[in-house]
Amino acid sequence: MLTTQILYGLTACVLVALGLRGALLHASLLQRIVAINVMGAGVFLLLIAVAYRGPGLAPDPVPHALVLTGIVVAVSATALALALARRLHAERDDD
Amino acid sequence: MNPVSLLVFDGLLLVSIAGLAWASLATTDARRSVILFMAFGLVLAVAWGRLLAPDVALAEAAIGAGLSGALLLAAAHRQPRPLPPASTNAPRNHGAAGVGVVLRWAVTLLCAALAGILAWALLHAFDSAPHDMLPQAISANLATSGVSNPVTAVLLNFRAYDTLLELAVLLTAVLGILALGPATPGYQPAGPVFDGLIRWLVPVLILTAGYLLWVGAHAPGGAFQAGAMLAAAGVVLRLAGRSRIGLPDGIVLRIVMAAGMGVFLLVGLSLLLLGRPFLGYPPDWAGSLILLIETAAMLSIAATLLLAFLGGRPESTGDKAAAKRQREAIS
């Protein structure tokens, strides 16, 4: 058990909680999307902290590959969410 | 670096990460929130470097902070005024001010409890020694994977199935965006300074994309980072008010969008015909097959991210001609 892993892992937990709170409490759709991205960053930080093995040691490449995939999926989900939010605003303005 | 100064560095880094996340979510000003989120992404990229994850650091800086930031900032720009209160009397739609103080505290407490449970589970998991069977299996088989960067080996060989499905997710997301309507209007033509800058910047971005694609076989880099660089070139051109941003038109665009998944599937199915498992590359060809798949994936990822930045179906020249004919017919 490494101090570095614990420090980064605990920060990851804080990010997940902050993001969830923002996603639940914000009124603006855009800021909810930002909050969900913060939550995702927390999950990524957790995975990379778990992969860390200490200075000078090769980290576990599997979580790294998972996070890379996750970053790309997160950006495409964000883009789709933004397009949906834009359409929603357009429909609301028509009313 | 001695352990104490490293610990101080870790502390400062983590406080900035948590602080930027908190500041980004505490404000109700959308633009401020997005800019703080971009700063958060960049500081996070430093943390990936600190945790010896350079591949992730590159992707985070290019995609997580860069392109996500560009997408969110464009959306915040289009939404200058706050939402008008909904006419229905659903209290949840009235926003943060409408939510009762009790409810806000309840949600905050629940989220704090969740953080506590997560932290407890994490410390519990860290207590046991890591089972390093998977990393050992990877380093034992790296020689037959066709590449020497273990992250690329996992992404395109050992767990190629995940990456294939990831390209499917990208394609689905972009189809959803295209189905939602036309692209957002373009920007004003850039002034001479920005115009001069992009003449230098765009070729450098394209060159960097090619370099990252090639170097991914043995060092940090790969199709995702390269695709993000190519998309960034298009985003810069779009911001400069150019009408042509390097996206192909009509059927070619559709082929480029589907190329990543298509080439991946074709390689997998051809290997099945040759009597090998799905995506089980022969060790002699693995390097070339991975480069082929990554090249197609890079083009698809770049086109997808650029279409995502446009926010809808780009107006092709054919559409413009049709719209003009329609206008003439009406008048």
Side-chain angles (χ1 to χ4, degrees):
Chain A
M1 185 154 72
L2 293 158
T3 325
T4 316
Q5 278 191 324
I6 296 174
L7 281 177
Y8 282 81
L10 291 182
T11 311
C13 300
V14 171
L15 289 184
V16 171
L18 271 176
L20 182 63
R21 181 180 178 276
L24 288 174
L25 288 181
H26 264 297
S28 135
L29 286 178
L30 181 73
Q31 286 189 283
R32 285 189 185 188
I33 296 170
V34 172
I36 291 169
N37 269 295
V38 169
M39 228 176 135
V43 176
F44 299 155
L45 189 56
L46 193 74
L47 281 169
I48 299 290
V50 169
Y52 187 68
R53 290 285 175 273
L57 294 173
D60 182 353
V62 178
H64 287 193
L66 287 178
V67 171
L68 265 180
T69 308
I71 288 176
V72 178
V73 169
V75 74
S76 52
T78 302
L80 182 59
L82 287 172
L84 282 168
R86 189 159 69 93
R87 181 66 185 269
L88 209 59
H89 277 286
E91 301 278 323
R92 233 179 249 176
D93 288 349
D94 286 346
D95 290 346
Chain B
M1 212 189 242
N2 70 57
V4 176
S5 55
L6 200 57
L7 205 62
V8 172
F9 173 74
D10 282 341
L12 284 174
L13 191 62
L14 293 175
V15 168
S16 353
I17 287 175
L20 281 168
W22 180 80
S24 162
L25 297 177
T27 172
T28 48
D29 178 351
R31 212 172 299 190
R32 175 185 301 215
S33 166
V34 169
I35 291 169
L36 284 167
F37 175 73
M38 289 168 80
F40 166 77
L42 287 174
V43 178
L44 209 53
V46 178
W48 303 145
R50 163 71 181 89
L51 293 174
L52 306 180
D55 288 274
V56 183
L58 274 174
E60 177 76 41
I63 306 176
L67 277 169
S68 284
L71 284 169
L72 289 164
L73 205 55
H77 185 71
R78 281 194 296 269
Q79 186 196 359
R81 64 206 147 61
L83 255 179
S87 51
T88 52
N89 54 357
R92 282 170 55 175
N93 286 346
H94 274 278
V99 177
V101 180
V102 180
L103 190 59
R104 286 182 75 81
W105 273 104
V107 169
T108 306
L109 279 178
L110 269 178
C111 291
L114 175 80
I117 292 170
L118 274 176
W120 176 79
L122 189 70
L123 292 177
H124 205 70
F126 278 154
D127 241 354
S128 54
H131 303 283
D132 269 351
M133 278 154 65
L134 214 50
Q136 278 163 16
I138 287 167
S139 52
N141 291 297
L142 198 58
T144 59
S145 73
V147 291
S148 58
N149 176 5
V151 177
T152 305
V154 172
L155 277 175
L156 282 138
N157 196 335
F158 303 138
R159 300 285 313 168
Y161 210 76
D162 291 355
T163 308
L164 172 66
L165 292 179
E166 172 193 359
L167 290 171
V169 169
L170 267 178
L171 189 60
T172 313
V174 80
L175 289 178
I177 292 169
L178 293 184
L180 281 168
T184 51
Y187 294 86
Q188 297 285 327
V193 175
F194 189 31
D195 206 61
L197 175 70
I198 63 168
R199 277 167 210 278
W200 287 95
L201 199 57
V202 169
V204 170
L205 281 171
I206 294 172
L207 200 66
T208 312
Y211 169 74
L212 281 173
L213 179 71
W214 178 256
V215 85
H218 51 85
F224 303 120
Q225 294 91 336
M229 284 290 155
L230 268 189
V235 168
V236 170
L237 283 172
R238 170 108 174 139
L239 288 176
R242 300 290 178 93
S243 54
R244 298 185 61 82
I245 53 171
L247 262 189
D249 220 4
I251 186 77
V252 184
L253 178 63
R254 284 158 207 232
I255 292 173
V256 169
M257 271 165 57
M261 221 193 131
V263 168
F264 221 138
L265 270 180
L266 272 180
V267 168
L269 293 176
S270 316
L271 288 168
L272 272 184
L273 284 181
L274 293 174
R276 295 194 62 89
F278 183 67
L279 291 171
Y281 319 126
D284 292 343
W285 301 356
S288 324
L289 286 176
I290 287 177
L291 190 63
L292 175 72
I293 293 170
E294 281 208 297
T295 309
M298 173 188 74
L299 293 175
S300 284
I301 290 167
T304 306
L305 293 176
L306 201 48
L307 281 171
F309 184 69
L310 292 183
R313 202 174 324 110
E315 207 174 85
S316 69
T317 42
D319 287 349
K320 270 183 201 156
K324 199 178 168 201
R325 275 199 301 278
Q326 205 174 8
R327 273 198 302 275
E328 281 165 3
I330 290 167
S331 62

